Amino acid sequence: MDPGYRDFATPRQLEFMDAIEKHRSAAEAGRALGVSAGAVAHSMTGLRKRAASMGFAPGHFKDGVAPGFKMGKVTVQRGRLGDVERTWERQSPDAAERERFLREFVEELAQRAQGAYEPTPAPVTATNDVLAVYCFGDPHFGLRAIADEAGEDFDLNEADRITRAAIDRLTHVAPSSRQALLINAGDSTHADNSTNRTRKSGAVLDVDGRHFQSVMVSAKAWVYAAERLLTKHEQVTVWILPGNHDDDTSFAVSMAISMYFHREPRVTVDVSASRFRYLRFGKVMIGANHGDGPKPKDLPLIMATDRPEDWGASLFKFIYVGHIHHDTVIEVQGVRVETLRTLAAKDAWHAGAGYRSMRDTRVIVHHRDYGEIERHTVSAAMLGV
């Protein structure tokens, strides 16, 4: 294989490449590594597709189409005698291949994570009467901002640092309760794939690093968050909601967290594809949605329709929403719908458009009989920004 593929390979794929080079065939490489030849070949095919999606596909014109792409429009230029002088091919990523690649990435990530975590003892002082809800609006891991044009610097390392620091502070001030809910309200990563464009509008995104790095750093940060919550709470539920920036990646991050904690009965990760999440705690009902679809005022009726039994059994109803990056609260027939700020900085476009929201995150404490009883806010300024 072309040595340029090494820049796009995972550590396991680098191991396969070295073995193939040493043993001269996938079959021999598989024997040396104790895996099947099919597993080696399948991994190398995935590598070629990943590299092609990032613009590296050496020699693909020999076969007509780059790995993971499909042929589109072909323009042919003919000479005066009708002979073909040149052609222009338009190839685009194949949707099925893109989905297959994402699932293969998740599977590989999960295999590497399995067995990494050992169950830990629950805190002995946890109370059954309160639920701590940790609310994070739109983290945007992978967003790149430069102070000269956006007013402040922000990158992947800063997103990781500020998220972990916020979790440390929030778990310090939150009460020790039996149950906790960690809500990531969507847009966990700034981009959903290596094209670095939003899916619906095609807007170009300012990104830091490669997409797979954003996925890995984001997943590790939320694993860290869940581990910290386990020091204060007996049971932890994790919601990584899909947003308009991370429709597919949100699922990958959820699966990575789920597989990391697959032997930890105290952690539950919601890996459903739904854009709406719900939980009932005594007389309290919690809902969440990213906010790029239905308007906030319409969410209470959707909650009532989706979960009629929980709706009827609860007196206090709350819905947490991301997407708009600033605080708003409306009350619709007794349901409090609250939009969340983000800890992420503004990118150049939003700074230029005049957006100036404050940056923070919070933990909201609900009593099973009385609804919300307290909240604690951690601002970006408190975290050294």
Side-chain angles (χ1 to χ4, degrees):
M1 293 181 65
D2 189 300
Y5 281 113
R6 301 183 71 87
D7 293 336
F8 305 91
T10 65
R12 185 59 166 169
Q13 288 169 336
L14 287 173
E15 187 178 5
F16 286 161
M17 289 181 67
D18 291 339
I20 292 172
E21 182 177 353
K22 179 179 179 180
H23 299 286
R24 300 300 177 183
S25 75
E28 292 299 324
R31 290 192 189 95
L33 296 174
V35 299
S36 68
V40 176
H42 182 70
S43 181
M44 294 300 95
T45 298
L47 172 57
R48 291 187 182 92
K49 291 177 181 178
R50 179 187 304 160
S53 71
M54 298 178 181
F56 183 79
H60 74 269
F61 284 109
K62 294 179 181 179
D63 298 320
V65 184
F69 283 62
K70 63 180 180 180
M71 185 64 71
K73 180 179 178 181
V74 179
T75 302
V76 178
Q77 177 180 316
R78 296 184 181 275
R80 293 171 55 191
L81 301 178
D83 54 316
V84 177
E85 293 183 345
R86 67 185 68 182
T87 61
W88 293 269
E89 297 178 351
R90 298 183 183 180
Q91 301 181 20
S92 59
D94 184 274
E97 289 293 341
R98 195 163 56 232
E99 181 179 355
R100 185 186 306 172
F101 161 71
L102 179 65
R103 293 188 179 279
E104 289 175 354
F105 174 78
V106 173
E107 289 173 1
E108 180 176 343
L109 197 63
Q111 289 174 0
R112 286 158 53 183
Q114 281 187 356
Y117 183 82
E118 292 293 338
T120 59
V124 296
T125 58
T127 174
N128 291 328
D129 294 330
V130 298
L131 166 72
V133 182
Y134 296 78
C135 298
F136 283 80
D138 300 40
H140 285 279
F141 277 76
L143 182 153
R144 179 75 170 113
I146 302 173
D148 285 347
E149 58 181 358
E152 49 201 342
D153 292 318
F154 195 78
D155 58 16
L156 193 54
N157 289 333
E158 177 64 3
D160 183 53
R161 183 196 72 80
I162 200 170
T163 299
R164 292 173 184 248
I167 279 293
D168 289 342
R169 275 189 175 269
L170 291 175
T171 52
H172 178 71
V173 298
S176 179
S177 62
R178 194 179 77 82
Q179 293 191 51
L181 172 62
L182 174 61
I183 301 177
N184 172 334
D187 290 354
S188 184
T189 56
H190 193 49
D192 200 28
N193 53 54
S194 58
T195 65
N196 299 328
R197 292 176 179 268
T198 56
R199 174 178 295 184
K200 293 181 180 178
S201 67
V204 178
L205 301 169
D206 296 332
V207 300
D208 176 43
R210 297 189 182 277
H211 178 61
F212 76 87
Q213 293 174 308
S214 297
V215 178
M216 291 292 291
V217 174
S218 175
K220 289 180 179 179
W222 300 116
V223 163
Y224 176 84
E227 289 180 323
R228 293 290 290 136
L229 265 60
L230 286 173
T231 66
K232 294 293 290 282
H233 311 284
E234 184 179 332
Q235 296 291 329
V236 175
T237 300
V238 180
W239 291 350
I240 307 293
L241 280 92
N244 57 306
H245 280 247
D246 67 343
D247 285 276
D248 291 334
T249 302
S250 58
F251 176 76
V253 172
S254 295
M255 282 298 299
I257 302 170
S258 177
M259 295 307 298
Y260 183 84
F261 288 109
H262 81 291
R263 293 198 301 182
E264 176 55 87
R266 296 171 54 210
V267 176
T268 301
V269 183
D270 189 329
V271 294
S272 69
S274 175
R275 304 186 80 86
F276 301 90
R277 308 291 168 87
Y278 304 106
L279 179 148
R280 185 164 67 87
F281 177 71
K283 299 177 183 178
V284 176
M285 187 173 183
I286 305 292
N289 174 256
H290 179 60
D292 59 323
K295 296 183 183 300
K297 67 181 179 62
D298 297 325
L299 292 174
L301 182 57
I302 295 173
M303 172 190 273
T305 303
D306 288 349
R307 296 293 178 87
E309 292 185 4
D310 289 331
W311 176 274
S314 58
L315 295 179
F316 308 97
K317 303 174 180 70
F318 305 85
I319 302 176
Y320 301 110
V321 184
H323 190 52
I324 63 174
H325 295 198
H326 61 266
D327 273 337
T328 68
V329 176
I330 62 172
E331 189 167 343
V332 182
Q333 299 299 317
V335 182
R336 179 186 172 101
V337 184
E338 178 177 349
T339 62
L340 305 170
R341 289 173 174 169
T342 174
L343 286 173
K346 301 175 292 295
D347 60 13
W349 188 91
H350 285 88
Y355 290 91
R356 296 295 186 271
S357 296
M358 301 296 289
R359 299 161 57 188
D360 65 33
T361 188
R362 64 206 64 174
V363 58
I364 303 170
V365 183
H366 296 275
H367 191 281
R368 65 170 56 253
D369 293 322
Y370 312 129
E372 180 180 332
I373 56 173
E374 63 181 90
R375 63 171 56 201
H376 303 274
T377 300
V378 173
S379 68
M382 296 172 64
L383 305 176
V385 174

